[in-house]
Amino acid sequence: MKTIKKAVEASINVKKSNFIARIYPAKNKSQVKEIINDISTKYGDATHNCTAHIVSDSRGYDDDGEPSGTAGKPMINVLEKNDLSNIVAIVTRYFGGVKLGAGGLVRAYSHAVLTALEEAEIVNMESFNIYEALFDYRDIKDIEAAFRKYNINIIKKDYAQQVSYTIASNNKDIIKTISEKYQNNLVIKDQGIEYLEVN
């Protein structure tokens, strides 16, 4: 799966209308909603804030008052053609007084998204099983050695009363093996699935 590393923005001018494309990485429908609400509020003075998104639990688009099929659909088509997921695109339009017609709008919204994507760093993402590993300070060396041996990715380290590592692995058998080997010193809790960047 491909997405963008961080948010990007680009603008184009077509017959006095200003089109500002903003593209964000997003994991799910609720993040998409949050981003769209934020931009729509911030740029509430715009003529249109058209959107398109593809995330794990939703995909869709909104023409936001433009003629049906002339804004959101061409935007989502660009995302799909570039094989992108976990992404939301918003194009803010300030009308310049010259009507573009259906074909002109389709080209303008597509071009705005493509222009923003040219600024983006595209990354490959893979789904991983995420776990929380809890253990005592005295076991750090042993546990880390075991994680290295079995190619377990350590995503985050927290040091409180106990040591807590967030780890990622798609091999449940290895997680089981480590759990059994260190059962008196280590607790591993399943945290679900997450998409992580891979080289």
Side-chain angles (χ1 to χ4, degrees):
M1 183 193 88
K2 291 192 298 184
T3 190
I4 59 170
K5 196 174 181 80
K6 58 182 183 190
V8 289
E9 182 181 314
S11 64
I12 61 166
N13 203 283
V14 182
K15 293 184 180 175
K16 298 182 181 177
S17 274
N18 199 17
F19 294 84
I20 306 149
R22 297 176 181 88
I23 307 179
Y24 301 84
K27 287 179 184 173
N28 51 43
K29 195 178 181 177
S30 104
Q31 275 189 3
V32 167
K33 201 174 170 189
E34 210 175 288
I35 292 165
I36 291 172
N37 285 344
D38 184 46
I39 294 299
S40 298
T41 303
K42 210 178 272 185
Y43 303 98
D45 62 331
T47 319
H48 307 279
N49 282 297
C50 303
T51 64
H53 70 274
I54 302 168
V55 289
S56 57
D57 56 352
S58 172
R59 74 168 44 221
Y61 57 86
D62 184 0
D63 294 313
D64 192 39
E66 290 282 31
S68 180
T70 62
K73 195 164 196 326
M75 287 165 63
I76 205 168
N77 286 346
V78 171
L79 300 180
E80 286 170 344
K81 277 178 188 163
N82 284 275
D83 199 25
L84 294 164
S85 300
N86 280 20
I87 197 161
V88 55
I90 303 160
V91 177
T92 301
R93 181 190 183 189
Y94 289 93
F95 182 55
V98 179
K99 290 190 174 181
L100 303 182
L105 287 171
V106 168
R107 284 189 295 277
Y109 280 100
S110 302
H111 184 46
V113 174
L114 277 167
T115 305
L117 283 178
E118 282 167 14
E119 304 294 315
E121 185 185 342
I122 308 289
V123 291
N124 286 309
M125 305 288 280
E126 228 175 80
S127 71
F128 283 89
N129 292 307
I130 305 295
Y131 302 90
E132 182 187 22
L134 296 161
F135 51 94
D136 291 328
Y137 282 83
R138 66 171 183 268
D139 298 314
I140 288 179
K141 214 170 167 183
D142 285 348
I143 302 292
E144 281 198 353
F147 289 165
R148 271 196 306 277
K149 180 183 172 185
Y150 292 107
N151 292 318
I152 305 279
N153 294 320
I154 301 169
I155 302 167
K156 201 169 111 191
K157 299 179 179 183
D158 285 313
Y159 302 98
Q161 231 173 339
Q162 263 193 317
V163 181
S164 167
Y165 282 8
T166 304
I167 58 172
S169 172
N170 277 336
N171 193 325
K172 291 190 174 186
D173 292 338
I174 283 174
I175 295 295
K176 195 178 171 197
T177 301
I178 293 171
S179 292
E180 285 168 0
K181 187 175 179 184
Y182 295 96
Q183 59 183 321
N184 298 324
N185 310 81
L186 173 68
V187 175
I188 295 182
K189 297 177 181 176
D190 194 333
Q191 302 291 301
I193 291 172
E194 209 172 295
Y195 280 92
L196 300 175
E197 189 181 328
V198 291
N199 296 326

